[in-house]
Amino acid sequence: MPLPQTEMPGRLQAHFADRGIRMTQQRRAILRVMETTTKHLDAAQLLRKAQRLDASVDRSTVYRTLKLLKRHGLIDELDLMHIHGEGHYYERKLNRDHIHMACLRCGKIMEFVSDIFEKLKGQVEKDCRFRIVVSRLEIGGYCAACRGAE
Amino acid sequence: MPLPQTEMPGRLQAHFADRGIRMTQQRRAILRVMETTTKHLDAAQLLRKAQRLDASVDRSTVYRTLKLLKRHGLIDELDLMHIHGEGHYYERKLNRDHIHMACLRCGKIMEFVSDIFEKLKGQVEKDCRFRIVVSRLEIGGYCAACRGAE
DNA sequence: GTCTTAGATGCGACTCATTTGCAACTGGAA
DNA sequence: TTCCAGTTGCAAATGAGTCGCATCTAAGAC
Ligand SMILES: [Mn+2]
Ligand SMILES: [Mn+2]
Ligand SMILES: [Zn+2]
Ligand SMILES: [Zn+2]
């Protein structure tokens, strides 16, 4: 089951335009980082990368924009087992949901797309009569390379 | 699929005894709270409840004990979609894993046990050759009562 | 029982993540 | 152009969780 590919770039900015959400210099920088990065970024990393595109971007703007993106269902917030500190990680929400696995030994983060996961969500919606808006499956354990060594 | 029942009380204390982990007044109070509560508690709630059993319990001891319980795989840490603030919630790990659903409108927390979830974890272990230690599926959305009303 | 000490505790100060109030700035509609 | 609601930077505040250290205590050895 392969990794989901990045959607076409500019998608986040397009969403903002469609809904008449104001586009600013700073938001453009932040959205561009979220659109082009392949990794899971925390707020501090996102700030640093965005500042490379627009040096004026402030920490509080990053947090305010993350909140906005969350409210619009455009990004997912992850803990990744809090492998480094107490903060959160962010990633664009793609067409297809995926699972996150974090290796407790080497810290590697893996992603996995599964039909069974989709079926499970369907079961929750049906059996619990629960309308799912966001779902997060995070697994901690030992990756193939680290199994054996504790 | 019914809710998992609470295991026999005293189980956490027994685990400590078995492994030769020192039992203190304060730990006894904290473990008793974790063993008997039916709700998902955050650190502050756990502190207040533990202090009712032993007034000397300090906040830092609560955090230290939570860390210990986590390290031994005896409790799970949850975000519950951060419905109230940025902190974590804790619950005893029971025989059977379960999913958490949080209603984004009324704040209700629901639990759900599913064979499909077990199958999904099996798939991850097999297909990704990943040895699962801890898994957390948290879902945000609208409960049956709140659907319709946005 | 008493001694002993590794390990646990309370306390206060600290770090780190995230939020907020406010005055100044700006996107974009008219 | 003008205009103003929405957005920003800044600095200060909050909140969750951690840590150093002097003191205390559980529990094994005698
Ligand atoms: Mn968390
Ligand atoms: Mn991901
Ligand atoms: Zn690994
Ligand atoms: Zn509800």
Side-chain angles (χ1 to χ4, degrees), chain A residues 40 78 91 98-100 109 111:
Chain A
H40 305 94
L78 304 168
E91 76 178 350
H98 58 271
I99 297 167
H100 288 97
I109 304 298
E111 300 180 306

Side-chain angles (χ1 to χ4, degrees), chain A residues 109-125:
Chain A
I109 304 298
M110 280 151 285
E111 300 180 306
F112 183 62
V113 173
S114 163
D115 292 340
I116 299 179
F117 186 36
E118 299 305 314
K119 201 164 122 192
L120 174 55
K121 288 189 290 182
Q123 186 193 34
V124 168
E125 292 233 337

Side-chain angles (χ1 to χ4, degrees), chain A residues 77 79 82 88 130 134 136 138, chain B residues 38-42 45 76-91 98-111 136-141:
Chain A
E77 186 176 63
D79 271 16
H82 290 301
H88 290 121
F130 191 90
V134 49
R136 239 168 92 176
E138 303 195 42
Chain B
T38 62
K39 304 239 224 64
H40 305 93
L41 301 177
D42 62 27
Q45 293 170 318
D76 276 326
E77 185 176 64
L78 305 168
D79 271 17
L80 299 182
M81 292 294 135
H82 290 302
I83 288 219
H84 311 289
E86 291 292 309
H88 289 123
Y89 295 87
Y90 300 91
E91 76 178 350
H98 59 274
I99 298 168
H100 289 94
M101 284 110 77
C103 179
L104 301 173
R105 184 165 172 277
C106 71
K108 188 166 55 179
I109 303 298
M110 279 152 286
E111 298 178 309
R136 244 168 89 177
L137 173 53
E138 303 193 43
I139 296 177

Side-chain angles (χ1 to χ4, degrees), chain A residues 89-115:
Chain A
Y89 296 87
Y90 300 91
E91 76 178 350
R92 285 187 74 180
K93 193 174 283 192
L94 301 170
N95 358 319
R96 196 87 196 272
D97 253 0
H98 58 271
I99 297 167
H100 288 97
M101 284 110 78
C103 178
L104 301 173
R105 184 164 173 278
C106 71
K108 187 166 54 178
I109 304 298
M110 280 151 285
E111 300 180 306
F112 183 62
V113 173
S114 163
D115 292 340

Side-chain angles (χ1 to χ4, degrees), chain A residues 21-22 24 26-27 56-61 64 86:
Chain A
I21 301 168
R22 189 176 297 194
T24 64
Q26 294 86 346
R27 284 183 181 168
S56 80
V57 175
D58 187 73
R59 195 159 38 93
S60 60
T61 300
R64 288 192 272 235
E86 291 292 312

